[in-house]
Every structure is written in C-alpha cells, then in structure tokens.
Amino acid sequence: MTPPRAFVIGHPIAHSRSPLIHGTWLETLGLQGSYERIDVPPEELGTFLRSFAARGFSGGNITVPHKSEAMAHVDRIDAAGRAIGAINTVWIENGEVCASNTDAEGFVASLDQEAPGWDEINGRALVYGAGGAARAVVHALLGRGFAVDVVNRTMERARELAEAFGPPVTAASTRDIDDRLAEADFFVNTTSLGMAGMEPLTLHLGALKREAVVCDIVYVPLETDLLRAARGRGHRTVNGLGMLLHQAVPGFAHWFGVRPSVTPGLRAIVEADIAKPRQH
Ligand code: ATR
C-alpha cells in the first residue's frame, strides 16, 4: 500500500506551520506518510478539491484565502463548518469529499488542557473581533454553554455575527467595553492585534474580574501585551499556540488513521520555530 499523503493548500502558502506539526507527528509516531505544502491560486481551487483523491491524496488542510470559497467544492460539511461558515480540513469518506472546521474544537481542547475548569462557570464570554476566527471561537463558546458578547471595531460586523448565531450572542459597541468586561468570566482576543508586526491591542483590563480567564488566539509572540497585562493582574492566561496545535488533531486522524496528542515535545518544537527570525 502506498503511504497516505496529505496537503495544506493556500495562496501564498510558504508560511504555514502545519507541515512542521504534521511532520513531527508522522516522525514521532513512526508512520509512513507525507504532508505537502501546495500553492493553489483561487481559480484552481475547485479543480484541486475535486481531483485530490484521484491524485493520491487522503485529504488535507485549507487555509487563507480559501476557507470560505472551498465550501462550494466539497460534498459534505459538518455542523461546525456550517455554523462557522468556513472549512479548514477535508478528507474522503465513502468516495465523498467531507469537510470540517476544526478551529472551534482546537480552541476548546487548548483551554481544557491549559486552563482546566475554564468553562465551569458557564457564564459570560467577551469576544474581541468579529472576523473568521471570531466565528469559530463563538461557535466553541456556545457549545460550552456561554452567553457571548462580541465587541468589534466595526460594530456592523459584530451585529452580523450576533444575528448569524442568534440570541445567546449579542453585539456590543467598543464604547461599552468596560461594562462588558465587568460582566465577563472569560475574555478572548480573536483579532491579529498584538501579533508581531501588527499594532498592539490596547485595552484596560481594570474592570475584569480576577477569576476571569484571558485568552489570545495570537501565538507570535507567545505572550502578547494583552496576556502579559492579564498575567500581571493575576488572571489565568492561555495563548494561541494550543489552538493551532489542537486544531490539527482531527485532520491527522482522518488522513493517517491515528489520533495524535499535543505533547510538551511538539509544543517545544513549534515554539522553537516561532522563536526563529523569519524571512518575509
Ligand atoms: P480572521 O479571519 O483572521 O478573523 P478577518 O476576518 O479579516 O480575519 O477579521 C479581522 C478582525 O480583526 C476583525 O474583527 C477586524 O475588525 P474590523 O471588522 O473592524 O475590520 C479586526 N481588526 C483588524 N485590524 C484591526 C485594528 N487595527 N483595530 C481593531 N480591530 C482590527
């Protein structure tokens, strides 16, 4: 039998860290198989998704800018993918191209591992941002019983997101952020603010309850200004690395037949890569 082959497609694709994650699992689990980076421009997306199985691939990951458009070129999309409105993982089942969005699962798995009990309050979550990542995070938080407030620079996008998910989700203006913070049991930044090369997220956490968990989906740097400030105030904090690692688990299991673990060893390898200067 030829070893399974998986891919990550995007445009451009050079910076994806997924090959490092899946390559490390293949190696440490002693499995035969490959995970390849493929640059697929938008005009070739449909053809690629309809032909990857015939070309010998078991499936793969889909990244920017294809996560929404790809939905039109697969046979089945699971509940998470439909709710989030984007897919990041495809595989073949009974001859059909199946798809999911594993970001929500990755988000909760990361919090379960790094901040056990984070959802035990089933209280209010405050989500900063209303883009694609926010949709995955909101879907995940609803799954764990939270009521969710969404705050975004562009209020209209926060409103659209709240309407798409329905009543437990409400949109709030950035002007009201202190009031929303005061009510929150959980705060998460879903924007790229604070990422290396971007503006910082400047937010005063003064109103936030000490017991609230603070999360950032950014993982370069591992500790953003937001997380440093939160840690300084005594909050439990979780960075975005765990979400990146855990969202990769279901895909690997589909393509290679083994469910991998997010181990300290894998974290150390990806952290070392994050610490390396990148050529842009
Ligand atoms: P992603 O899929 O990574 O979430 P996106 O859909 O482009 O990316 O969403 C980016 C998010 O970051 C949005 O919430 C965006 O706010 P707007 O909807 O107002 O654009 C937010 N964002 C990006 N740059 C920002 C900035 N300088 N200040 C505040 N929010 C910003």
Side-chain angles (χ1 to χ4, degrees):
M1 219 178 78
T2 50
R5 290 167 66 202
F7 56 78
V8 54
I9 56 168
H11 186 67
I13 195 59
H15 292 319
S16 171
R17 283 198 170 83
S18 294
L20 177 64
I21 299 168
H22 291 287
T24 300
W25 276 329
L26 285 169
E27 202 180 308
T28 53
L29 292 165
L31 296 175
Q32 294 288 310
S34 66
Y35 184 92
E36 303 164 30
R37 245 188 207 104
I38 306 178
D39 191 312
V40 175
E43 62 277 14
E44 289 171 20
L45 180 64
T47 308
F48 182 88
L49 288 171
R50 289 297 171 195
S51 64
F52 74 77
R55 291 172 56 192
F57 288 103
S58 305
N61 286 125
I62 300 171
T63 187
V64 181
H66 301 319
K67 289 186 185 189
S68 296
E69 280 68 24
M71 295 176 81
H73 307 291
V74 300
D75 299 311
R76 275 171 189 277
I77 300 172
D78 73 356
R82 290 196 304 272
I84 297 164
I87 53 175
N88 67 356
T89 303
V90 289
W91 67 97
I92 301 291
E93 224 170 275
N94 302 322
E96 290 187 314
V97 181
C98 299
S100 177
N101 188 316
T102 64
D103 282 341
E105 197 177 326
F107 178 74
V108 294
S110 167
L111 284 154
D112 286 347
Q113 190 174 47
E114 293 173 59
W118 68 281
D119 61 340
E120 271 164 21
I121 351 153
N122 277 359
R124 289 200 84 77
L126 180 57
V127 173
Y128 188 84
R135 293 180 74 98
V137 164
V138 168
H139 178 69
L141 290 167
L142 292 177
R144 290 296 177 97
F146 281 89
V148 181
D149 286 320
V150 179
V151 170
N152 192 46
R153 173 179 61 179
T154 313
M155 172 87 183
E156 192 46 37
R157 279 187 95 191
R159 260 197 219 109
E160 280 166 23
L161 192 153
E163 275 165 25
F165 281 95
V169 185
T170 50
S173 158
T174 44
R175 282 196 309 270
D176 299 331
I177 198 155
D178 281 344
D179 293 343
R180 297 285 89 85
L181 273 171
E183 288 170 14
D185 303 295
F186 180 84
F187 176 79
V188 54
N189 170 45
T190 70
T191 73
S192 44
L193 294 181
M195 191 189 285
M198 298 277 299
E199 301 164 40
L201 172 55
T202 43
L203 199 65
H204 294 289
L205 297 175
L208 197 61
K209 298 171 210 163
R210 298 289 160 153
E211 311 75 56
V213 173
V214 177
C215 181
D216 201 329
I217 68 158
V218 170
Y219 54 86
V220 183
L222 287 167
E223 188 171 70
T224 56
D225 289 351
L226 169 72
L227 292 188
R228 190 174 308 116
R231 191 167 52 89
R233 286 175 40 88
H235 295 282
R236 284 204 289 170
T237 61
V238 177
N239 67 28
L241 180 60
M243 181 176 175
L244 173 75
L245 301 178
H246 283 279
Q247 64 76 31
V249 169
F252 190 95
H254 281 300
W255 316 317
F256 303 114
V258 178
R259 199 171 167 87
S261 300
V262 173
T263 58
L266 175 69
R267 268 177 200 279
I269 287 168
V270 179
E271 282 182 12
D273 187 66
I274 288 169
K276 268 194 240 160
R278 281 203 158 184
Q279 315 238 295
H280 286 281

